[in-house]
PDB file of all heavy atoms in Angstrom:
ATOM      1  N   ASN A  23     103.581  88.966  40.083  1.00 98.00           N
ATOM      2  CA  ASN A  23     104.962  89.098  39.645  1.00 98.00           C
ATOM      3  C   ASN A  23     105.500  87.698  39.313  1.00 98.00           C
ATOM      4  O   ASN A  23     105.101  86.703  39.920  1.00 98.00           O
ATOM      5  CB  ASN A  23     105.829  89.762  40.696  1.00 98.00           C
ATOM      6  CG  ASN A  23     107.084  90.364  40.172  1.00 98.00           C
ATOM      7  OD1 ASN A  23     107.411  90.248  38.984  1.00 98.00           O
ATOM      8  ND2 ASN A  23     107.852  91.048  41.028  1.00 98.00           N
ATOM      9  N   LYS A  24     106.401  87.677  38.345  1.00 98.00           N
ATOM     10  CA  LYS A  24     107.114  86.453  37.987  1.00 98.00           C
ATOM     11  C   LYS A  24     108.582  86.857  37.953  1.00 98.00           C
ATOM     12  O   LYS A  24     108.985  87.695  37.186  1.00 98.00           O
ATOM     13  CB  LYS A  24     106.647  85.952  36.626  1.00 98.00           C
ATOM     14  CG  LYS A  24     107.307  84.668  36.162  1.00 98.00           C
ATOM     15  CD  LYS A  24     106.586  84.040  35.019  1.00 98.00           C
ATOM     16  CE  LYS A  24     106.944  84.674  33.699  1.00 98.00           C
ATOM     17  NZ  LYS A  24     106.448  83.911  32.542  1.00 98.00           N
ATOM     18  N   ILE A  25     109.396  86.253  38.850  1.00 97.00           N
ATOM     19  CA  ILE A  25     110.741  86.654  39.026  1.00 97.00           C
ATOM     20  C   ILE A  25     111.675  85.604  38.414  1.00 97.00           C
ATOM     21  O   ILE A  25     111.690  84.461  38.836  1.00 97.00           O
ATOM     22  CB  ILE A  25     111.068  86.812  40.530  1.00 97.00           C
ATOM     23  CG1 ILE A  25     110.155  87.846  41.189  1.00 97.00           C
ATOM     24  CG2 ILE A  25     112.530  87.216  40.728  1.00 97.00           C
ATOM     25  CD1 ILE A  25     110.211  87.826  42.687  1.00 97.00           C
ATOM     26  N   LEU A  26     112.458  86.014  37.420  1.00 97.00           N
ATOM     27  CA  LEU A  26     113.431  85.134  36.811  1.00 97.00           C
ATOM     28  C   LEU A  26     114.582  84.946  37.782  1.00 97.00           C
ATOM     29  O   LEU A  26     115.231  85.910  38.168  1.00 97.00           O
ATOM     30  CB  LEU A  26     113.941  85.692  35.475  1.00 97.00           C
ATOM     31  CG  LEU A  26     115.023  84.878  34.784  1.00 97.00           C
ATOM     32  CD1 LEU A  26     114.508  83.511  34.374  1.00 97.00           C
ATOM     33  CD2 LEU A  26     115.533  85.610  33.561  1.00 97.00           C
ATOM     34  N   VAL A  27     114.853  83.697  38.168  1.00 95.00           N
ATOM     35  CA  VAL A  27     115.870  83.407  39.134  1.00 95.00           C
ATOM     36  C   VAL A  27     117.083  82.765  38.446  1.00 95.00           C
ATOM     37  O   VAL A  27     118.224  83.150  38.707  1.00 95.00           O
ATOM     38  CB  VAL A  27     115.368  82.459  40.259  1.00 95.00           C
ATOM     39  CG1 VAL A  27     116.455  82.042  41.187  1.00 95.00           C
ATOM     40  CG2 VAL A  27     114.238  83.178  41.023  1.00 95.00           C
ATOM     41  N   ASP A  28     116.838  81.783  37.585  1.00 94.00           N
ATOM     42  CA  ASP A  28     117.951  81.075  36.920  1.00 94.00           C
ATOM     43  C   ASP A  28     117.443  80.595  35.558  1.00 94.00           C
ATOM     44  O   ASP A  28     116.536  79.778  35.488  1.00 94.00           O
ATOM     45  CB  ASP A  28     118.362  79.896  37.792  1.00 94.00           C
ATOM     46  CG  ASP A  28     119.618  79.190  37.288  1.00 94.00           C
ATOM     47  OD1 ASP A  28     119.956  79.285  36.088  1.00 94.00           O
ATOM     48  OD2 ASP A  28     120.284  78.549  38.117  1.00 94.00           O
ATOM     49  N   ALA A  29     118.082  81.080  34.524  1.00 95.00           N
ATOM     50  CA  ALA A  29     117.685  80.734  33.144  1.00 95.00           C
ATOM     51  C   ALA A  29     117.854  79.248  32.839  1.00 95.00           C
ATOM     52  O   ALA A  29     117.208  78.717  31.951  1.00 95.00           O
ATOM     53  CB  ALA A  29     118.435  81.572  32.124  1.00 95.00           C
ATOM     54  N   LYS A  30     118.690  78.556  33.629  1.00 94.00           N
ATOM     55  CA  LYS A  30     118.901  77.121  33.419  1.00 94.00           C
ATOM     56  C   LYS A  30     117.927  76.291  34.231  1.00 94.00           C
ATOM     57  O   LYS A  30     117.860  75.078  34.061  1.00 94.00           O
ATOM     58  CB  LYS A  30     120.334  76.767  33.816  1.00 94.00           C
ATOM     59  CG  LYS A  30     121.374  77.448  32.957  1.00 94.00           C
ATOM     60  CD  LYS A  30     122.761  77.098  33.470  1.00 94.00           C
ATOM     61  CE  LYS A  30     123.823  77.939  32.712  1.00 94.00           C
ATOM     62  NZ  LYS A  30     125.117  77.839  33.337  1.00 94.00           N
ATOM     63  N   GLY A  31     117.242  76.897  35.164  1.00 94.00           N
ATOM     64  CA  GLY A  31     116.308  76.193  36.041  1.00 94.00           C
ATOM     65  C   GLY A  31     116.878  76.080  37.451  1.00 94.00           C
ATOM     66  O   GLY A  31     118.092  75.914  37.626  1.00 94.00           O
ATOM     67  N   ILE A  32     116.007  76.155  38.404  1.00 94.00           N
ATOM     68  CA  ILE A  32     116.401  76.110  39.821  1.00 94.00           C
ATOM     69  C   ILE A  32     116.571  74.652  40.269  1.00 94.00           C
ATOM     70  O   ILE A  32     115.701  73.816  40.011  1.00 94.00           O
ATOM     71  CB  ILE A  32     115.340  76.790  40.698  1.00 94.00           C
ATOM     72  CG1 ILE A  32     115.076  78.200  40.222  1.00 94.00           C
ATOM     73  CG2 ILE A  32     115.756  76.776  42.173  1.00 94.00           C
ATOM     74  CD1 ILE A  32     113.795  78.841  40.798  1.00 94.00           C
ATOM     75  N   GLU A  33     117.677  74.362  40.927  1.00 92.00           N
ATOM     76  CA  GLU A  33     117.879  73.010  41.479  1.00 92.00           C
ATOM     77  C   GLU A  33     117.566  73.032  42.967  1.00 92.00           C
ATOM     78  O   GLU A  33     118.053  73.905  43.688  1.00 92.00           O
ATOM     79  CB  GLU A  33     119.324  72.572  41.251  1.00 92.00           C
ATOM     80  CG  GLU A  33     119.663  72.274  39.824  1.00 92.00           C
ATOM     81  CD  GLU A  33     121.053  71.635  39.698  1.00 92.00           C
ATOM     82  OE1 GLU A  33     121.315  70.693  40.456  1.00 92.00           O
ATOM     83  OE2 GLU A  33     121.819  72.145  38.864  1.00 92.00           O
ATOM     84  N   ASN A  34     116.809  72.072  43.418  1.00 92.00           N
ATOM     85  CA  ASN A  34     116.496  71.868  44.839  1.00 92.00           C
ATOM     86  C   ASN A  34     116.060  73.178  45.554  1.00 92.00           C
ATOM     87  O   ASN A  34     116.680  73.582  46.531  1.00 92.00           O
ATOM     88  CB  ASN A  34     117.699  71.264  45.584  1.00 92.00           C
ATOM     89  CG  ASN A  34     118.102  69.960  45.017  1.00 92.00           C
ATOM     90  OD1 ASN A  34     117.242  69.147  44.620  1.00 92.00           O
ATOM     91  ND2 ASN A  34     119.387  69.703  44.975  1.00 92.00           N
ATOM     92  N   PRO A  35     115.010  73.797  45.063  1.00 96.00           N
ATOM     93  CA  PRO A  35     114.589  75.067  45.716  1.00 96.00           C
ATOM     94  C   PRO A  35     113.991  74.817  47.069  1.00 96.00           C
ATOM     95  O   PRO A  35     113.399  73.760  47.345  1.00 96.00           O
ATOM     96  CB  PRO A  35     113.540  75.609  44.748  1.00 96.00           C
ATOM     97  CG  PRO A  35     112.969  74.402  44.107  1.00 96.00           C
ATOM     98  CD  PRO A  35     114.097  73.430  43.979  1.00 96.00           C
ATOM     99  N   ALA A  36     114.140  75.801  47.950  1.00 96.00           N
ATOM    100  CA  ALA A  36     113.500  75.787  49.262  1.00 96.00           C
ATOM    101  C   ALA A  36     113.324  77.224  49.696  1.00 96.00           C
ATOM    102  O   ALA A  36     114.198  78.059  49.443  1.00 96.00           O
ATOM    103  CB  ALA A  36     114.359  75.019  50.248  1.00 96.00           C
ATOM    104  N   PHE A  37     112.229  77.516  50.384  1.00 96.00           N
ATOM    105  CA  PHE A  37     111.965  78.856  50.853  1.00 96.00           C
ATOM    106  C   PHE A  37     112.171  78.914  52.386  1.00 96.00           C
ATOM    107  O   PHE A  37     111.906  77.956  53.075  1.00 96.00           O
ATOM    108  CB  PHE A  37     110.494  79.276  50.596  1.00 96.00           C
ATOM    109  CG  PHE A  37     110.150  79.543  49.152  1.00 96.00           C
ATOM    110  CD1 PHE A  37     109.232  78.791  48.490  1.00 96.00           C
ATOM    111  CD2 PHE A  37     110.801  80.579  48.462  1.00 96.00           C
ATOM    112  CE1 PHE A  37     108.885  79.050  47.159  1.00 96.00           C
ATOM    113  CE2 PHE A  37     110.502  80.831  47.118  1.00 96.00           C
ATOM    114  CZ  PHE A  37     109.525  80.080  46.503  1.00 96.00           C
ATOM    115  N   ASN A  38     112.636  80.064  52.843  1.00 95.00           N
ATOM    116  CA  ASN A  38     112.713  80.366  54.274  1.00 95.00           C
ATOM    117  C   ASN A  38     112.006  81.694  54.523  1.00 95.00           C
ATOM    118  O   ASN A  38     112.119  82.616  53.686  1.00 95.00           O
ATOM    119  CB  ASN A  38     114.153  80.497  54.745  1.00 95.00           C
ATOM    120  CG  ASN A  38     114.786  79.159  55.001  1.00 95.00           C
ATOM    121  OD1 ASN A  38     114.128  78.203  55.377  1.00 95.00           O
ATOM    122  ND2 ASN A  38     116.100  79.082  54.805  1.00 95.00           N
ATOM    123  N   GLN A  39     111.368  81.836  55.648  1.00 94.00           N
ATOM    124  CA  GLN A  39     110.755  83.058  56.055  1.00 94.00           C
ATOM    125  C   GLN A  39     111.818  83.908  56.785  1.00 94.00           C
ATOM    126  O   GLN A  39     112.360  83.476  57.795  1.00 94.00           O
ATOM    127  CB  GLN A  39     109.577  82.767  57.023  1.00 94.00           C
ATOM    128  CG  GLN A  39     108.800  83.942  57.425  1.00 94.00           C
ATOM    129  CD  GLN A  39     107.947  84.542  56.295  1.00 94.00           C
ATOM    130  OE1 GLN A  39     108.155  85.688  55.943  1.00 94.00           O
ATOM    131  NE2 GLN A  39     107.056  83.775  55.765  1.00 94.00           N
ATOM    132  N   ARG A  40     112.132  85.053  56.249  1.00 91.00           N
ATOM    133  CA  ARG A  40     113.074  85.985  56.863  1.00 91.00           C
ATOM    134  C   ARG A  40     112.410  87.363  56.821  1.00 91.00           C
ATOM    135  O   ARG A  40     112.777  88.182  56.008  1.00 91.00           O
ATOM    136  CB  ARG A  40     114.414  86.001  56.137  1.00 91.00           C
ATOM    137  CG  ARG A  40     115.157  84.719  56.143  1.00 91.00           C
ATOM    138  CD  ARG A  40     115.784  84.469  57.516  1.00 91.00           C
ATOM    139  NE  ARG A  40     116.604  83.275  57.455  1.00 91.00           N
ATOM    140  CZ  ARG A  40     116.270  82.122  58.045  1.00 91.00           C
ATOM    141  NH1 ARG A  40     115.182  82.032  58.744  1.00 91.00           N
ATOM    142  NH2 ARG A  40     117.054  81.077  57.991  1.00 91.00           N
ATOM    143  N   GLU A  41     111.427  87.535  57.693  1.00 88.00           N
ATOM    144  CA  GLU A  41     110.603  88.749  57.649  1.00 88.00           C
ATOM    145  C   GLU A  41     111.465  89.990  57.614  1.00 88.00           C
ATOM    146  O   GLU A  41     112.464  90.087  58.353  1.00 88.00           O
ATOM    147  CB  GLU A  41     109.658  88.797  58.838  1.00 88.00           C
ATOM    148  CG  GLU A  41     108.553  87.764  58.714  1.00 88.00           C
ATOM    149  CD  GLU A  41     107.589  87.799  59.847  1.00 88.00           C
ATOM    150  OE1 GLU A  41     107.591  88.751  60.655  1.00 88.00           O
ATOM    151  OE2 GLU A  41     106.769  86.866  59.943  1.00 88.00           O
ATOM    152  N   PRO A  42     111.164  90.952  56.768  1.00 91.00           N
ATOM    153  CA  PRO A  42     109.976  91.009  55.943  1.00 91.00           C
ATOM    154  C   PRO A  42     110.131  90.336  54.569  1.00 91.00           C
ATOM    155  O   PRO A  42     109.278  90.462  53.720  1.00 91.00           O
ATOM    156  CB  PRO A  42     109.763  92.523  55.769  1.00 91.00           C
ATOM    157  CG  PRO A  42     111.169  93.067  55.718  1.00 91.00           C
ATOM    158  CD  PRO A  42     111.961  92.200  56.694  1.00 91.00           C
ATOM    159  N   ASN A  43     111.246  89.632  54.382  1.00 95.00           N
ATOM    160  CA  ASN A  43     111.530  89.013  53.077  1.00 95.00           C
ATOM    161  C   ASN A  43     111.349  87.517  53.081  1.00 95.00           C
ATOM    162  O   ASN A  43     111.148  86.899  54.141  1.00 95.00           O
ATOM    163  CB  ASN A  43     112.975  89.355  52.663  1.00 95.00           C
ATOM    164  CG  ASN A  43     113.228  90.840  52.657  1.00 95.00           C
ATOM    165  OD1 ASN A  43     112.489  91.589  52.108  1.00 95.00           O
ATOM    166  ND2 ASN A  43     114.338  91.246  53.264  1.00 95.00           N
ATOM    167  N   ILE A  44     111.456  86.931  51.912  1.00 97.00           N
ATOM    168  CA  ILE A  44     111.486  85.486  51.748  1.00 97.00           C
ATOM    169  C   ILE A  44     112.831  85.126  51.137  1.00 97.00           C
ATOM    170  O   ILE A  44     113.278  85.813  50.199  1.00 97.00           O
ATOM    171  CB  ILE A  44     110.358  85.015  50.768  1.00 97.00           C
ATOM    172  CG1 ILE A  44     108.973  85.366  51.325  1.00 97.00           C
ATOM    173  CG2 ILE A  44     110.493  83.528  50.460  1.00 97.00           C
ATOM    174  CD1 ILE A  44     108.572  84.604  52.576  1.00 97.00           C
ATOM    175  N   GLU A  45     113.482  84.100  51.674  1.00 96.00           N
ATOM    176  CA  GLU A  45     114.734  83.649  51.101  1.00 96.00           C
ATOM    177  C   GLU A  45     114.457  82.438  50.260  1.00 96.00           C
ATOM    178  O   GLU A  45     113.716  81.519  50.660  1.00 96.00           O
ATOM    179  CB  GLU A  45     115.698  83.215  52.195  1.00 96.00           C
ATOM    180  CG  GLU A  45     116.462  84.311  52.834  1.00 96.00           C
ATOM    181  CD  GLU A  45     117.474  83.817  53.831  1.00 96.00           C
ATOM    182  OE1 GLU A  45     117.467  82.624  54.211  1.00 96.00           O
ATOM    183  OE2 GLU A  45     118.320  84.649  54.240  1.00 96.00           O
ATOM    184  N   LEU A  46     115.046  82.389  49.082  1.00 97.00           N
ATOM    185  CA  LEU A  46     115.021  81.231  48.218  1.00 97.00           C
ATOM    186  C   LEU A  46     116.375  80.577  48.346  1.00 97.00           C
ATOM    187  O   LEU A  46     117.387  81.170  47.986  1.00 97.00           O
ATOM    188  CB  LEU A  46     114.715  81.595  46.777  1.00 97.00           C
ATOM    189  CG  LEU A  46     114.780  80.430  45.767  1.00 97.00           C
ATOM    190  CD1 LEU A  46     113.721  79.350  46.069  1.00 97.00           C
ATOM    191  CD2 LEU A  46     114.649  80.950  44.369  1.00 97.00           C
ATOM    192  N   ILE A  47     116.410  79.341  48.870  1.00 94.00           N
ATOM    193  CA  ILE A  47     117.657  78.613  48.990  1.00 94.00           C
ATOM    194  C   ILE A  47     117.787  77.753  47.718  1.00 94.00           C
ATOM    195  O   ILE A  47     116.854  77.050  47.363  1.00 94.00           O
ATOM    196  CB  ILE A  47     117.626  77.708  50.243  1.00 94.00           C
ATOM    197  CG1 ILE A  47     117.205  78.469  51.477  1.00 94.00           C
ATOM    198  CG2 ILE A  47     118.966  76.989  50.408  1.00 94.00           C
ATOM    199  CD1 ILE A  47     118.098  79.618  51.858  1.00 94.00           C
ATOM    200  N   VAL A  48     118.931  77.840  47.118  1.00 89.00           N
ATOM    201  CA  VAL A  48     119.197  77.062  45.881  1.00 89.00           C
ATOM    202  C   VAL A  48     120.458  76.247  46.095  1.00 89.00           C
ATOM    203  O   VAL A  48     121.279  76.534  46.990  1.00 89.00           O
ATOM    204  CB  VAL A  48     119.365  77.983  44.636  1.00 89.00           C
ATOM    205  CG1 VAL A  48     118.020  78.638  44.308  1.00 89.00           C
ATOM    206  CG2 VAL A  48     120.407  79.040  44.839  1.00 89.00           C
ATOM    207  N   LYS A  49     120.610  75.184  45.287  1.00 83.00           N
ATOM    208  CA  LYS A  49     121.701  74.245  45.450  1.00 83.00           C
ATOM    209  C   LYS A  49     123.063  74.956  45.356  1.00 83.00           C
ATOM    210  O   LYS A  49     123.978  74.662  46.100  1.00 83.00           O
ATOM    211  CB  LYS A  49     121.616  73.157  44.400  1.00 83.00           C
ATOM    212  CG  LYS A  49     122.653  72.073  44.584  1.00 83.00           C
ATOM    213  CD  LYS A  49     122.456  70.978  43.573  1.00 83.00           C
ATOM    214  CE  LYS A  49     123.486  69.872  43.749  1.00 83.00           C
ATOM    215  NZ  LYS A  49     123.329  68.805  42.768  1.00 83.00           N
ATOM    216  N   THR A  50     123.154  75.882  44.424  1.00 75.00           N
ATOM    217  CA  THR A  50     124.433  76.560  44.224  1.00 75.00           C
ATOM    218  C   THR A  50     124.323  78.014  44.687  1.00 75.00           C
ATOM    219  O   THR A  50     123.320  78.691  44.401  1.00 75.00           O
ATOM    220  CB  THR A  50     124.862  76.556  42.768  1.00 75.00           C
ATOM    221  OG1 THR A  50     123.817  77.135  42.001  1.00 75.00           O
ATOM    222  CG2 THR A  50     125.091  75.145  42.277  1.00 75.00           C
ATOM    223  N   GLY A  51     125.314  78.523  45.410  1.00 76.00           N
ATOM    224  CA  GLY A  51     125.307  79.930  45.771  1.00 76.00           C
ATOM    225  C   GLY A  51     124.591  80.296  47.041  1.00 76.00           C
ATOM    226  O   GLY A  51     124.086  79.437  47.765  1.00 76.00           O
ATOM    227  N   ASN A  52     124.561  81.580  47.298  1.00 86.00           N
ATOM    228  CA  ASN A  52     123.945  82.140  48.488  1.00 86.00           C
ATOM    229  C   ASN A  52     122.440  82.229  48.335  1.00 86.00           C
ATOM    230  O   ASN A  52     121.929  82.242  47.205  1.00 86.00           O
ATOM    231  CB  ASN A  52     124.493  83.530  48.734  1.00 86.00           C
ATOM    232  CG  ASN A  52     125.979  83.501  49.098  1.00 86.00           C
ATOM    233  OD1 ASN A  52     126.442  82.588  49.764  1.00 86.00           O
ATOM    234  ND2 ASN A  52     126.691  84.504  48.612  1.00 86.00           N
ATOM    235  N   PRO A  53     121.707  82.291  49.461  1.00 93.00           N
ATOM    236  CA  PRO A  53     120.259  82.492  49.354  1.00 93.00           C
ATOM    237  C   PRO A  53     119.927  83.745  48.566  1.00 93.00           C
ATOM    238  O   PRO A  53     120.648  84.740  48.592  1.00 93.00           O
ATOM    239  CB  PRO A  53     119.816  82.613  50.811  1.00 93.00           C
ATOM    240  CG  PRO A  53     120.922  82.045  51.609  1.00 93.00           C
ATOM    241  CD  PRO A  53     122.171  82.251  50.835  1.00 93.00           C
ATOM    242  N   ILE A  54     118.797  83.691  47.849  1.00 95.00           N
ATOM    243  CA  ILE A  54     118.304  84.818  47.079  1.00 95.00           C
ATOM    244  C   ILE A  54     117.172  85.415  47.867  1.00 95.00           C
ATOM    245  O   ILE A  54     116.204  84.745  48.242  1.00 95.00           O
ATOM    246  CB  ILE A  54     117.819  84.347  45.703  1.00 95.00           C
ATOM    247  CG1 ILE A  54     118.977  83.720  44.914  1.00 95.00           C
ATOM    248  CG2 ILE A  54     117.214  85.495  44.924  1.00 95.00           C
ATOM    249  CD1 ILE A  54     118.563  82.945  43.674  1.00 95.00           C
ATOM    250  N   VAL A  55     117.303  86.698  48.187  1.00 96.00           N
ATOM    251  CA  VAL A  55     116.323  87.393  49.035  1.00 96.00           C
ATOM    252  C   VAL A  55     115.235  87.981  48.132  1.00 96.00           C
ATOM    253  O   VAL A  55     115.561  88.760  47.207  1.00 96.00           O
ATOM    254  CB  VAL A  55     116.978  88.467  49.917  1.00 96.00           C
ATOM    255  CG1 VAL A  55     115.970  89.165  50.775  1.00 96.00           C
ATOM    256  CG2 VAL A  55     118.093  87.833  50.764  1.00 96.00           C
ATOM    257  N   LEU A  56     113.987  87.637  48.413  1.00 97.00           N
ATOM    258  CA  LEU A  56     112.852  88.036  47.591  1.00 97.00           C
ATOM    259  C   LEU A  56     111.852  88.899  48.349  1.00 97.00           C
ATOM    260  O   LEU A  56     111.662  88.680  49.542  1.00 97.00           O
ATOM    261  CB  LEU A  56     112.137  86.788  47.053  1.00 97.00           C
ATOM    262  CG  LEU A  56     112.937  85.786  46.267  1.00 97.00           C
ATOM    263  CD1 LEU A  56     112.133  84.524  46.045  1.00 97.00           C
ATOM    264  CD2 LEU A  56     113.376  86.340  44.932  1.00 97.00           C
ATOM    265  N   THR A  57     111.210  89.792  47.630  1.00 96.00           N
ATOM    266  CA  THR A  57     110.026  90.469  48.072  1.00 96.00           C
ATOM    267  C   THR A  57     108.961  90.209  46.998  1.00 96.00           C
ATOM    268  O   THR A  57     109.270  89.645  45.943  1.00 96.00           O
ATOM    269  CB  THR A  57     110.232  91.986  48.252  1.00 96.00           C
ATOM    270  OG1 THR A  57     110.363  92.591  46.971  1.00 96.00           O
ATOM    271  CG2 THR A  57     111.422  92.304  49.137  1.00 96.00           C
ATOM    272  N   SER A  58     107.762  90.709  47.226  1.00 95.00           N
ATOM    273  CA  SER A  58     106.749  90.544  46.178  1.00 95.00           C
ATOM    274  C   SER A  58     107.085  91.358  44.935  1.00 95.00           C
ATOM    275  O   SER A  58     106.565  91.109  43.862  1.00 95.00           O
ATOM    276  CB  SER A  58     105.386  90.978  46.742  1.00 95.00           C
ATOM    277  OG  SER A  58     105.440  92.330  47.177  1.00 95.00           O
ATOM    278  N   ASP A  59     108.026  92.321  45.062  1.00 95.00           N
ATOM    279  CA  ASP A  59     108.432  93.142  43.917  1.00 95.00           C
ATOM    280  C   ASP A  59     109.584  92.534  43.124  1.00 95.00           C
ATOM    281  O   ASP A  59     109.828  92.918  41.975  1.00 95.00           O
ATOM    282  CB  ASP A  59     108.816  94.552  44.397  1.00 95.00           C
ATOM    283  CG  ASP A  59     107.632  95.312  44.929  1.00 95.00           C
ATOM    284  OD1 ASP A  59     106.521  95.138  44.382  1.00 95.00           O
ATOM    285  OD2 ASP A  59     107.820  96.130  45.830  1.00 95.00           O
ATOM    286  N   GLY A  60     110.342  91.641  43.713  1.00 95.00           N
ATOM    287  CA  GLY A  60     111.478  91.085  43.006  1.00 95.00           C
ATOM    288  C   GLY A  60     112.590  90.636  43.925  1.00 95.00           C
ATOM    289  O   GLY A  60     112.412  90.436  45.120  1.00 95.00           O
ATOM    290  N   ILE A  61     113.806  90.530  43.340  1.00 95.00           N
ATOM    291  CA  ILE A  61     114.974  90.149  44.082  1.00 95.00           C
ATOM    292  C   ILE A  61     115.527  91.406  44.783  1.00 95.00           C
ATOM    293  O   ILE A  61     115.716  92.448  44.129  1.00 95.00           O
ATOM    294  CB  ILE A  61     116.065  89.539  43.169  1.00 95.00           C
ATOM    295  CG1 ILE A  61     115.518  88.265  42.513  1.00 95.00           C
ATOM    296  CG2 ILE A  61     117.350  89.291  43.905  1.00 95.00           C
ATOM    297  CD1 ILE A  61     116.411  87.674  41.455  1.00 95.00           C
ATOM    298  N   VAL A  62     115.797  91.318  46.082  1.00 91.00           N
ATOM    299  CA  VAL A  62     116.291  92.458  46.835  1.00 91.00           C
ATOM    300  C   VAL A  62     117.678  92.783  46.262  1.00 91.00           C
ATOM    301  O   VAL A  62     118.563  91.983  46.209  1.00 91.00           O
ATOM    302  CB  VAL A  62     116.388  92.163  48.337  1.00 91.00           C
ATOM    303  CG1 VAL A  62     117.090  93.276  49.070  1.00 91.00           C
ATOM    304  CG2 VAL A  62     114.987  91.934  48.913  1.00 91.00           C
ATOM    305  N   GLY A  63     117.817  94.052  45.832  1.00 77.00           N
ATOM    306  CA  GLY A  63     119.050  94.489  45.243  1.00 77.00           C
ATOM    307  C   GLY A  63     119.251  94.060  43.790  1.00 77.00           C
ATOM    308  O   GLY A  63     120.261  94.378  43.186  1.00 77.00           O
ATOM    309  N   GLY A  64     118.262  93.358  43.238  1.00 58.00           N
ATOM    310  CA  GLY A  64     118.391  92.862  41.870  1.00 58.00           C
ATOM    311  C   GLY A  64     117.617  93.691  40.865  1.00 58.00           C
ATOM    312  O   GLY A  64     116.955  94.666  41.213  1.00 58.00           O
ATOM    313  N   LYS A  65     117.707  93.328  39.607  1.00 51.00           N
ATOM    314  CA  LYS A  65     117.115  94.080  38.528  1.00 51.00           C
ATOM    315  C   LYS A  65     115.564  93.993  38.536  1.00 51.00           C
ATOM    316  O   LYS A  65     114.916  94.838  37.965  1.00 51.00           O
ATOM    317  CB  LYS A  65     117.684  93.661  37.194  1.00 51.00           C
ATOM    318  CG  LYS A  65     117.354  92.206  36.861  1.00 51.00           C
ATOM    319  CD  LYS A  65     117.964  91.791  35.543  1.00 51.00           C
ATOM    320  CE  LYS A  65     117.687  90.317  35.314  1.00 51.00           C
ATOM    321  NZ  LYS A  65     118.480  89.765  34.304  1.00 51.00           N
ATOM    322  N   ASN A  66     115.005  92.979  39.216  1.00 48.00           N
ATOM    323  CA  ASN A  66     113.560  92.838  39.218  1.00 48.00           C
ATOM    324  C   ASN A  66     112.873  93.670  40.294  1.00 48.00           C
ATOM    325  O   ASN A  66     111.697  93.833  40.275  1.00 48.00           O
ATOM    326  CB  ASN A  66     113.186  91.350  39.450  1.00 48.00           C
ATOM    327  CG  ASN A  66     113.472  90.502  38.240  1.00 48.00           C
ATOM    328  OD1 ASN A  66     113.396  90.965  37.119  1.00 48.00           O
ATOM    329  ND2 ASN A  66     113.819  89.251  38.476  1.00 48.00           N
ATOM    330  N   GLU A  67     113.671  94.153  41.251  1.00 44.00           N
ATOM    331  CA  GLU A  67     113.071  94.871  42.354  1.00 44.00           C
ATOM    332  C   GLU A  67     112.553  96.251  41.890  1.00 44.00           C
ATOM    333  O   GLU A  67     113.217  96.947  41.134  1.00 44.00           O
ATOM    334  CB  GLU A  67     114.095  95.070  43.464  1.00 44.00           C
ATOM    335  CG  GLU A  67     113.496  95.698  44.713  1.00 44.00           C
ATOM    336  CD  GLU A  67     114.520  95.852  45.808  1.00 44.00           C
ATOM    337  OE1 GLU A  67     115.679  96.161  45.531  1.00 44.00           O
ATOM    338  OE2 GLU A  67     114.114  95.697  46.952  1.00 44.00           O
TER     339      GLU A  67
END
C-alpha cells in the first residue's frame, strides 16, 4: 500500500507504535492513525 498523507510533503515525520495501529506524527496537526490498509477513518482505509 502507498498512503497519500500530504500532497505538499510531510514535514518532520515520526512514527509511534499504538497497537494495533501506527501513528504518524507530523509538524502540523494531530497524529495520523495508520493501518496497513490506510488512514483510520480516512478515504484510503
Side-chain angles (χ1 to χ4, degrees):
N23 201 354
K24 182 167 79 169
I25 303 167
L26 177 64
V27 174
D28 188 335
K30 297 176 188 170
I32 305 167
E33 289 188 48
N34 301 323
F37 289 119
N38 280 328
Q39 185 70 242
R40 297 285 186 251
E41 290 182 10
N43 304 312
I44 299 292
E45 280 185 346
L46 175 64
I47 309 300
V48 293
K49 185 176 180 181
T50 56
N52 294 324
I54 299 166
V55 181
L56 304 170
T57 70
S58 58
D59 293 327
I61 297 172
V62 172
K65 63 183 177 195
N66 288 328
E67 187 179 35

